[in-house]
Amino acid sequence: MTTISNFFREQAAKLQPKLVEMRRELHLHPELSNEEHETTARIRAWLEELGIRLLELNLPTGVLAEVKGELPGPTIMLRADIDALPVQEETGLPFASTVPGKMHACGHDFHTASMIGAAALLKERAGELRGTVRILFQPAEELAVGARAVIAAGALEGVSAVFGMHNKPELPVGTVGIRTGPLMASVDRFEIEVQGKGGHAGMPESAVDPVVVSSAIVTALQTLVSRNASPHHSAVVSVCKLQAGSTWNVIPDTGVLEGTVRTFQPEARASIPGQMERVVEGVAAGYGARAKLKWTAMLPAVNNDANMAEIMRAAADAQGLQVAEAVPTMGGEDFALYQELVPGCFIWMGTGGTEQWHHPKFTLNEDALAISASLFAEAAVLALKEIG
Ligand code: NI
């Protein structure tokens, strides 16, 4: 008798042409965050065609489906994201985007097609499933608002564990990157308003120059990581916008700085806003100006549960894949919000491309579609067993 692992592998290989077709169809017609209407319709149609039950998600875009096992057990969730980016595609592929200025440049088309594959595989073995697998096709990941909307819509209710992935150009096809603990950074945003005093460029003594103050703040912020954060923590403070003045011979009144802070450790995430406020206000005061920090908390870090990571490792072994220790990145992912509620694991799926995410020439190796489908089907079966 063939094992379920072999069944998933063989069946995924048979599904592969269909998965490629779906992925290319999505790639031809990319839609931006919260505009994924056609994408949603396509996913629904494919799932219905495969006989997979659709649930009500109660959001304008996105799809929730489930494969219910015939044996009682817990509910777990597999998650894919579905949105594209405002990037003009330059791959020259025959199935390149047909929409000017929009492209699946982060491979969410790949995530979607392979999770449909996982659902199809699980559906075929529903008779042996101990519990329910919910499959979520999440909108608006790129804006970091989709997961929050999905949670508010109640899609996570009753879910005991969540699994997801991102394609990884650096890893070859057949290799997955898995790690316990933080994988992607928390993402927070800050805005600093500097209030100086405008005046004549030739008479700075009667002004308080916000250009000089803003520059000093940018420089001082560099010490937050080097002098305030623990050397055992990792953090990034990037000032990405700096605006002041409108011409060459007038000292402006105000300056504005904007940027982002990324870190893996909740302790660092909690302490940085206070330290930043002290530096910002102190530097400004030193120049006789005033500065105000506005902090917007956005996403926690993607933080993998040890048991869930173990399940993913076991699933990868059962599927004969190479497991590498995943290298963390300071990019963010709203998958982190699910992990605040239930234990989960987010992994890197090797797709062997030459360009990084969001690049106009971003490509991936479609051979990873079947691999990813069978891996997540396997992981779902293992997780139901483990948690139940
Ligand atoms: Ni992405």
Side-chain angles (χ1 to χ4, degrees), residues 179-188 225 228-236 261-273 275 295 299-303 328-331 340:
R179 109 184 275 275
T180 299
L183 180 71
M184 299 182 79
S186 61
V187 178
D188 296 312
V225 172
N228 286 121
S230 160
H232 302 291
H233 292 164
S234 18
V236 169
V261 174
R262 313 283 172 114
T263 179
F264 294 122
Q265 290 80 19
E267 308 92 297
R269 187 177 185 221
S271 62
I272 286 175
Q275 293 161 350
W295 184 268
L299 292 175
V302 168
N303 199 354
T329 146
M330 283 285 174
E340 280 197 319

Side-chain angles (χ1 to χ4, degrees), residues 306-341:
N307 293 330
M308 299 307 128
E310 208 39 62
I311 287 169
M312 284 307 312
R313 283 188 198 102
D317 278 346
Q319 285 297 316
L321 303 177
Q322 292 289 325
V323 178
E325 175 72 5
V327 178
T329 146
M330 283 285 174
E333 237 293 346
D334 66 3
F335 185 85
L337 293 169
Y338 305 131
Q339 290 177 307
E340 280 197 319
L341 301 174

Side-chain angles (χ1 to χ4, degrees), residues 81 106 108 111 141-142 166 333 358:
D81 43 11
C106 203
H108 297 185
H111 303 163
E141 188 281 326
E142 296 292 355
H166 208 289
E333 237 293 346
H358 299 201

